[in-house]
C-alpha cells in the first residue's frame, strides 16, 4: 500500500520510521525535473529523502524501498532526460505531466526556455518513453486585458499542431486567482490586469475548444464545472489507468490505492507521496500559487545550490 511504514537507516547510522510509497509525485510543489534532477536522483540512490510538511514545519522521511512509479510535473523537464535510464535500471516506471503553455508575448513565465525548445523537449521525452507517457497541460488558463478566450484557443491550436503524433491528452484548468490572494498580488505587482473566469467564459471556451477538433482527449483538473456536453471530462493526474497501462505488473497494488484525501476537494488522484517543497521554483511565473514571491523562490534555490547533496530540497 502507498502509506506503508518501514524502518530506515540514515547516513549517520541512526534509525527512523519512514513512509515507503508505491507512487512518488515529483512534484506539485516545485519543478524537480527542471531544477532538482541531480538532487532527486542522488536521493534515489541514497534510498530516502527528508520532507518538510509545509503546514506544520515538521520533518519526516520518505523511503524509496517500495517505490515503483514516479509522476513528474514540470514546465522544463529537459534536465531530467539523462537520468531516465536509471529509472529503467531500477524497474521504476514514470510519466510526465508537462505544463506547456504559451505566455511568451505576455511574459507570464519569464524564465522558461523558448516555446520551440520546450516543444522539442516534449517530443524527445516521448521518443524515449512512448506516446501517452507525456501528458500536455495548458495550465492555468488566464484571462487578462491582453489575453482573451480567442487568444487562448489560438495558442492551444498552435501547440497542438506542433505536437501532432506525440500527444494523446490535453489537461487544463481555469485560473482561480481569488482563491490565492498572493497570486493576485503578484500579478498586479507585475502589471498584469487579470480577470476571473465566469461560467459563461468557461462554457464558451469549452465549446470552441471542442470545435477545434484537436483529436485529443480533453480533461479539466480539479474543476467543479461539468463540461461533458463538450466532450471534456474530469482528470485524474495521478491516474491508476495510465500507470497500469505503462506498468501493467503494478495492477494488483495500484488497484488497492484509494483517492488521495490530502489534495483539493475536487481532485480525484489516487494516493501518492509528494516530495517537493513550496517556495523553491525559480521559473518566476507571475501566477504561481506555490511561491510566496519570485524573489523568495530564487533565494531558496540558491540556498539549495550551496548544498545540493542535502537530504532535502531545503
Amino acid at each position: 500500500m502507498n502509506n506503508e511504514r518501514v524502518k530506515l537507516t540514515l547516513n549517520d547510522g541512526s534509525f527512523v520510521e519512514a513512509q515507503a510509497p508505491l507512487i512518488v509525485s515529483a512534484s506539485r510543489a516545485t519543478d524537480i525535473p527542471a531544477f532538482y534532477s541531480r538532487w532527486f536522483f542522488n536521493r534515489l540512490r541514497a534510498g530516502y529523502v527528508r520532507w518538510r510538511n509545509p503546514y506544520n514545519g515538521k520533518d519526516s522521511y520518505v523511503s524509496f524501498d517500495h517505490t515503483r512509479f514516479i509522476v513528474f510535473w514540470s514546465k522544463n523537464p529537459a534536465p531530467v532526460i539523462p537520468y531516465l535510464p536509471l529509472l529503467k535500471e531500477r524497474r521504476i516506471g514514470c510519466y510526465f505531466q508537462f505544463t506547456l503553455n504559451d505566455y511568451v508575448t505576455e511574459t507570464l513565465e519569464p524564465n522558461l526556455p523558448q516555446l520551440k525548445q520546450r516543444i522539442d523537449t516534449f517530443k524527445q521525452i516521448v521518443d524515449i518513453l512512448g506516446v501517452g507517457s507525456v501528458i500536455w497541460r495548458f495550465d492555468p488558463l488566464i484571462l487578462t486585458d491582453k489575453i482573451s478566450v480567442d487568444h487562448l484557443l489560438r495558442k492551444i491550436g498552435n501547440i497542438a499542431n506542433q505536437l501532432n503524433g506525440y500527444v494523446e491528452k490535453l489537461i487544463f484548468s481555469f485560473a482561480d486567482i481569488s482563491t490565492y490572494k498572493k497570486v493576485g498580488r503578484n500579478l498586479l505587482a507585475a502589471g498584469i490586469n487579470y480577470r476571473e473566469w465566469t461560467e459563461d467564459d468557461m462554457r464558451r471556451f469549452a465549446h470552441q475548444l471542442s470545435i477545434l477538433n484537436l483529436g485529443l482527449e480533453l480533461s479539466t483538473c480539479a474543476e467543479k464545472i461539468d463540461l461533458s456536453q463538450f466532450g471534456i471530462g474530469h482528470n485524474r493526474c495521478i491516474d491508476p489507468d495510465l500507470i497500469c497501462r505503462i506498468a501493467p505488473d503494478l495492477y494488483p497494488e495500484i488497484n488497492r490505492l484509494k483517492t488521495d484525501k490530502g489534495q483539493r476537494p475536487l481532485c480525484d488522484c489516487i494516493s501518492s507521496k509528494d516530495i517537493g517543497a513550496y517556495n523553491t521554483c525559480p521559473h518566476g511565473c507571475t501566477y504561481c500559487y506555490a511561491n510566496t514571491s519570485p524573489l523568495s523562490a530564487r533565494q531558496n534555490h540558491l540556498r539549495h545550490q550551496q548544498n545540493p547533496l542535502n537530504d532535502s530540497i531545503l
Side-chain angles (χ1 to χ4, degrees):
M1 300 296 288
N2 210 52
N3 59 355
E4 188 172 346
R5 316 286 303 183
V6 299
K7 292 293 184 182
L8 178 67
T9 305
L10 303 182
N11 289 344
D12 63 4
S14 61
F15 298 93
V16 296
E17 188 179 68
Q19 182 176 338
L22 180 70
I23 305 169
V24 165
S25 172
S27 156
R28 292 179 176 95
T30 193
D31 197 327
I32 285 177
F35 299 109
Y36 303 99
S37 284
R38 180 189 176 201
W39 169 82
F40 176 78
F41 282 91
N42 277 334
R43 297 318 308 165
L44 190 64
R45 293 187 191 96
Y48 71 92
V49 64
R50 178 167 54 88
W51 176 77
R52 179 160 296 171
N53 188 309
Y55 302 105
N56 61 23
K58 293 182 178 179
D59 286 345
S60 62
Y61 289 88
V62 180
S63 167
F64 295 119
D65 282 358
H66 298 166
T67 299
R68 298 288 306 281
F69 208 91
I70 299 169
V71 177
F72 290 108
W73 310 69
S74 185
K75 292 180 179 177
N76 176 31
V80 87
I81 292 174
Y83 295 99
L84 292 178
L86 297 178
L87 294 181
K88 188 174 182 180
E89 289 174 11
R90 291 172 175 262
R91 297 182 64 247
I92 297 175
C94 73
Y95 64 75
F96 284 77
Q97 294 280 354
F98 193 147
T99 299
L100 183 56
N101 301 333
D102 177 7
Y103 292 126
V104 176
T105 302
E106 300 82 7
T107 65
L108 296 183
E109 300 170 331
N111 299 326
L112 287 178
Q114 287 300 307
L115 179 60
K116 183 182 184 304
Q117 185 177 338
R118 287 178 281 141
I119 289 173
D120 288 344
T121 296
F122 193 108
K123 293 178 178 179
Q124 188 176 353
I125 297 176
V126 171
D127 286 339
I128 295 169
L129 298 179
V131 176
S133 294
V134 187
I135 298 155
W136 174 27
R137 304 176 73 91
F138 200 113
D139 182 29
L141 298 165
I142 296 179
L143 295 176
T144 74
D145 57 350
K146 296 179 180 178
I147 307 174
S148 66
V149 168
D150 291 335
H151 282 119
L152 291 169
L153 290 164
R154 284 196 292 271
K155 292 172 184 292
I156 289 172
N158 174 54
I159 295 174
N161 287 335
Q162 296 183 68
L163 291 179
N164 185 39
Y166 285 87
V167 65
E168 297 177 336
K169 177 186 275 191
L170 167 62
I171 300 169
F172 61 90
S173 69
F174 303 105
D176 183 10
I177 297 166
S178 64
T179 300
Y180 303 99
K181 301 299 183 184
K182 63 185 176 183
V183 174
R185 290 195 298 268
N186 290 338
L187 286 168
L188 292 176
I192 307 298
N193 297 313
Y194 68 89
R195 72 176 180 88
E196 298 285 354
W197 285 83
T198 66
E199 187 170 316
D200 285 344
D201 290 329
M202 295 178 190
R203 294 193 181 282
R204 177 170 171 258
F205 173 85
H207 176 59
Q208 294 297 321
L209 182 64
S210 67
I211 291 174
L212 286 179
N213 195 23
L214 300 176
L216 302 175
E217 180 183 350
L218 304 174
S219 295
T220 58
C221 178
E223 293 287 351
K224 181 179 181 179
I225 191 168
D226 181 0
L227 301 175
S228 57
Q229 69 184 99
F230 307 110
I232 298 171
H234 294 291
N235 196 61
R236 304 179 82 177
C237 300
I238 309 281
D239 182 353
D241 294 331
L242 180 56
I243 292 172
C244 290
R245 172 182 160 189
I246 293 170
D249 58 313
L250 293 183
Y251 176 80
E253 294 170 277
I254 296 296
N255 194 46
R256 292 196 294 269
L257 295 181
K258 298 180 179 180
T259 301
D260 191 340
K261 300 303 182 184
Q263 302 304 320
R264 292 174 291 175
L266 294 170
C267 178
D268 200 29
C269 291
I270 59 170
S271 178
S272 65
K273 178 58 186 173
D274 198 295
I275 60 167
Y278 290 115
N279 227 35
T280 59
C281 178
H283 279 316
C285 303
T286 54
Y287 55 77
C288 182
Y289 72 89
N291 292 336
T292 303
S293 69
L295 176 60
S296 61
R298 287 197 302 271
Q299 290 173 336
N300 283 332
H301 181 244
L302 288 172
R303 194 171 119 204
H304 167 86
Q305 290 178 310
Q306 294 170 4
N307 189 14
L309 301 182
N310 193 21
D311 60 359
S312 68
I313 288 178
L314 288 177

